[in-house]
Amino acid sequence: MQVRLPAPLLLLLASLWRGAPGASELRYPPGKIAVIGAGIGGTSAAYFLRQKFGKDVQIDVFEKGTVGGRLATINVEGKNYEAGGSIIRPLNLHMKHFVKVLGLSGPENRNGLLGIYNGDEFVFEESSWYIINILKLLWHYGFSPLRMNMWVEDIMDKFMRIYRYQSHDYSFSSIEGLLHALGGNDFIQLLNRTINETMQKAGFSQKFIYEVVAPAMRVNYGQGANINGFVGAVSMATADSGLWSVKGGNKLVCNGLLYASKAQLLSGTVLSIEEKTRPKRTGGTVKLYEVSYNSASGSTTDMYDIVLIATPLNRNMSNITFRNFNPPLAQFSDHYHQTVATFVHGRINTSSFGYKDPSHFYLASIFTTENPKLFINSLGVVSPVQNTHEEVRQPMGPAVWKVFSKEPLTKEQMNLLFSSYDSVKEKKWLAYPHYSLPNKCPPIILHDRIYYLNGIEWAASAMEMSAIAAKNAALLSYHHWYGNIDMIDQEDLNEKLKTEL
Ligand SMILES: Cc1cc2nc3c(=O)[nH]c(=O)nc-3n(C[C@H](O)[C@H](O)[C@H](O)COP(=O)(O)OP(=O)(O)OC[C@H]3O[C@@H](n4cnc5c(N)ncnc54)[C@H](O)[C@@H]3O)c2cc1C
Ligand SMILES: *[C@@H]1O[C@H](CO)[C@@H](O)[C@H](O)[C@H]1NC(C)=O
Ligand SMILES: *[C@@H]1O[C@H](CO)[C@@H](O)[C@H](O)[C@H]1NC(C)=O
Ligand SMILES: *[C@@H]1O[C@H](CO)[C@@H](O)[C@H](O)[C@H]1NC(C)=O
Ligand SMILES: *[C@@H]1O[C@H](CO)[C@@H](O)[C@H](O)[C@H]1NC(C)=O
Ligand SMILES: *[C@@H]1O[C@H](CO)[C@@H](O)[C@H](O)[C@H]1NC(C)=O
């Protein structure tokens, strides 16, 4: 006699059958997940992992330095200033969400007037009169600034699709796949062309690229118009208005996410990861990852079902060894660009910038064009993190200036830049990728259940990008674990989700 299975059961069986090979053995929830790095990438990964995997899984976050990583503050004369990642853009929706759920506040940054210096003179000086700025821009660059806004907006419209995909739980197994799902081949092409070439092809003038685009890249990435078109475009989005940062310091988001995720913070340096086979209580074997780390109490190891790596894989930054993998894991050594942030409390030497009479000088932010004789990328007056609505900024009086340069400033250079100063603090960063073409983004999946977040920095390095990579890795690890292959690398998501609404 033939037994008819009820339809819901058939559906259930079908969905089990569709699962990835070996998926059914993974249908119990994972016991332990390791996240390496407590920057914005690692802490937001812990947050999203908790959302997906539920309250029972143990999440351990390893940190060898301070929670926040490249989000850090520095103390100058009793007040704290952002020393690393500082600016958040209005359309950075994950950062916005974190600040909201964590009960933090993110006031808008008010920047003083901007000048662009080419080593001999200012090629552009902002005025406090809106209409004068418009006329100046038109006079210098024609309609390029306006066109640029539209050009960037078009790219951002596509980029913003990521939030819809992620809110529907879709994930991607490669950076290229993620970008392709957002903007098709155009986005992939942006990765392999400089912003210079990309904007030339789009009809922007050399003058505009040299005097406006390159200086913005130098502030954001310490590199000029030869960085890739994708990072170039997203970092120009709303270059002027609505920029904000977190009151008290951006790193508070990391502390908050860690707390909200109920993850355990393990202060220590991860040295190696090794795959181990262990017998299961129920018979058979299970593969786990053994994480070895050094902490104040000595060397320890711990076993994990899933590992997320949320730090650049680079000997100088994380120095993690993958042991006994067969075949061995590709060891890549991504080269990161050094940027030095120097904080100076003092008076700017206006004659260094061609101003004989300091009383005529009113700029609070100086960008630079590419010129080998310039030893700085930018300098600007900064406000403390406690008080982003600083009183009126007085660039002529003593103020705290933040200088970005490739190398530490020498005493002679300091004396050129400042007519007087009383305190100096310096922070040297391996800050972001050293972008060069051709650009190959590192993989997200390093091994069955080892995921790498920071490859996304090769498309673009920013807090929001780390948060996007974190949510993607949390979703991807979840879907792999439960065999939801229909939630990974879906084509035509944009069309699919349109009709779903
Ligand atoms: C000077 C500067 C200016 C910037 N400006 C901006 C900006 O204005 N806007 C913006 O959006 N972005 C900016 N960025 C970029 C932004 O700060 C980074 O993209 C982002 O903070 C990276 O976060 P992450 O968590 O991916 O990495 P990280 O913050 O680097 O976190 C990695 C963490 O892992 C830890 N770690 C490393 N190895 C190990 C190990 N073996 N064991 C245990 N722990 C380990 C590290 O100590 C670190 O805390 C700037 C960066 C710099 C340096
Ligand atoms: C852009 O590329 C052109 C060559 O196509 C080069 O001459 C120019 O100097 C570059 N501009 C910048 C700002 O890098
Ligand atoms: C990286 O770690 C190895 C041992 O694990 C050590 O010998 C080496 O000096 C470390 N390198 C750096 C740059 O810290
Ligand atoms: C690490 O630092 C050394 C010395 O500063 C440098 O030569 C090397 O290129 C760096 N490696 C990477 C991967 O950045
Ligand atoms: C200021 O800059 C000028 C021109 O670069 C330089 O001659 C002078 O020594 C600098 N220092 C002071 C204190 O003015
Ligand atoms: C960029 O070009 C290189 C070499 O041509 C290629 O290996 C790489 O895959 C390309 N990257 C992308 C994102 O297309």
Side-chain angles (χ1 to χ4, degrees), residues 94-105:
H94 285 321
M95 290 303 293
K96 247 184 170 162
H97 168 79
F98 297 153
V99 164
K100 189 166 159 222
V101 298
L102 297 173
L104 297 165
S105 75

Side-chain angles (χ1 to χ4, degrees), residues 36-42 62-71 83-89 92 220 268-271 310-312 317-320 339 341 404 429-432 454 457 461-464 466:
I36 303 172
I40 187 65
F62 292 90
E63 174 53 58
K64 69 169 179 182
T66 346
V67 172
R70 274 174 275 167
L71 306 184
S86 58
I87 302 296
I88 309 174
R89 291 162 200 290
N92 289 173
N220 288 329
T269 305
V270 171
L271 304 174
T311 171
M317 295 169 87
S318 52
N319 203 11
I320 298 166
T339 287
F404 278 145
W429 294 104
L430 285 173
Y432 13 67
N454 292 71
E457 292 192 69
S461 171
M463 294 172 233
E464 184 70 10
S466 290

Side-chain angles (χ1 to χ4, degrees), residues 17-308:
W17 179 247
R18 270 194 309 165
S24 54
E25 77 171 277
L26 292 178
R27 290 211 164 246
Y28 57 89
K32 284 168 76 180
I33 303 178
V35 177
I36 303 172
I40 187 65
T43 56
S44 56
Y47 175 83
F48 291 125
L49 284 166
R50 178 67 69 206
Q51 278 189 342
K52 284 315 294 175
F53 284 96
K55 63 178 172 39
D56 291 329
V57 56
Q58 180 179 333
I59 303 173
D60 288 350
V61 178
F62 292 90
E63 174 53 58
K64 69 169 179 182
T66 346
V67 172
R70 274 174 275 167
L71 306 184
T73 54
I74 197 164
N75 193 286
V76 183
E77 311 225 311
K79 289 184 175 167
N80 292 320
Y81 298 84
E82 291 291 357
S86 58
I87 302 296
I88 309 174
R89 291 162 200 290
L91 295 178
N92 289 173
L93 300 190
H94 285 321
M95 290 303 293
K96 247 184 170 162
H97 168 79
F98 297 153
V99 164
K100 189 166 159 222
V101 298
L102 297 173
L104 297 165
S105 75
E108 206 170 293
N109 284 353
R110 288 224 215 102
N111 281 323
L113 298 176
L114 167 73
I116 298 170
Y117 186 63
N118 73 1
D120 298 313
E121 57 178 356
F122 282 95
V123 292
F124 183 81
E125 284 174 279
E126 199 180 4
S127 149
S128 42
W129 295 89
Y130 181 75
I131 190 71
I132 303 227
N133 285 325
I134 301 283
L135 292 174
K136 273 189 174 179
L137 282 171
L138 275 172
W139 172 254
H140 283 283
Y141 310 111
F143 288 103
S144 282
L146 191 66
R147 279 195 45 222
M148 187 190 79
N149 284 345
M150 297 190 309
W151 184 76
V152 170
E153 208 170 282
D154 182 54
I155 291 172
M156 286 313 290
D157 278 349
K158 292 181 178 141
F159 178 77
M160 299 295 284
R161 292 174 180 167
I162 190 63
Y163 299 111
R164 195 145 43 93
Y165 300 170
Q166 292 195 329
S167 72
H168 284 83
D169 273 7
Y170 287 101
S171 63
F172 300 91
S173 63
S174 71
I175 308 294
E176 284 86 355
L178 186 154
L179 292 182
H180 192 270
L182 300 178
N185 288 332
D186 290 354
F187 267 31
I188 298 294
Q189 244 178 20
L190 284 173
L191 277 188
N192 248 350
R193 275 203 190 131
T194 64
I195 186 73
N196 184 1
E197 190 189 343
T198 308
M199 292 188 76
Q200 275 184 62
K201 283 211 158 76
F204 292 92
S205 72
Q206 265 311 312
K207 180 179 162 71
F208 183 70
I209 296 171
Y210 180 76
E211 293 184 0
V212 177
V213 177
M217 300 304 115
R218 285 165 62 79
V219 180
N220 288 329
Y221 293 106
Q223 300 154 78
N226 52 352
I227 69 178
N228 82 63
F230 185 77
V231 65
V234 299
S235 71
M236 278 188 303
T238 55
D240 46 351
S241 72
L243 305 176
W244 57 284
S245 47
V246 178
K247 186 168 185 183
N250 293 331
K251 67 177 181 186
L252 293 184
V253 174
C254 302
N255 295 91
L257 288 171
L258 204 52
Y259 181 79
S261 71
K262 298 196 168 62
Q264 172 177 223
L265 175 66
L266 295 175
S267 297
T269 305
V270 171
L271 304 174
S272 65
I273 302 171
E274 186 170 353
E275 191 183 27
K276 292 269 163 111
T277 307
R278 287 279 177 275
K280 270 200 301 200
R281 251 177 304 157
T282 51
T285 57
V286 61
K287 286 191 168 167
L288 293 170
Y289 296 110
E290 183 183 79
V291 173
S292 308
Y293 61 100
N294 258 343
S295 66
S297 50
S299 300
T300 325
T301 63
D302 234 323
M303 300 297 239
Y304 294 92
D305 297 290
I306 296 172
V307 177
L308 267 63

Side-chain angles (χ1 to χ4, degrees), residues 349-354 356 414-420:
N349 178 5
T350 55
S351 47
S352 265
F353 295 95
K356 295 287 166 280
M414 286 290 297
N415 289 337
L416 273 178
L417 290 180
F418 296 95
S419 55
S420 67

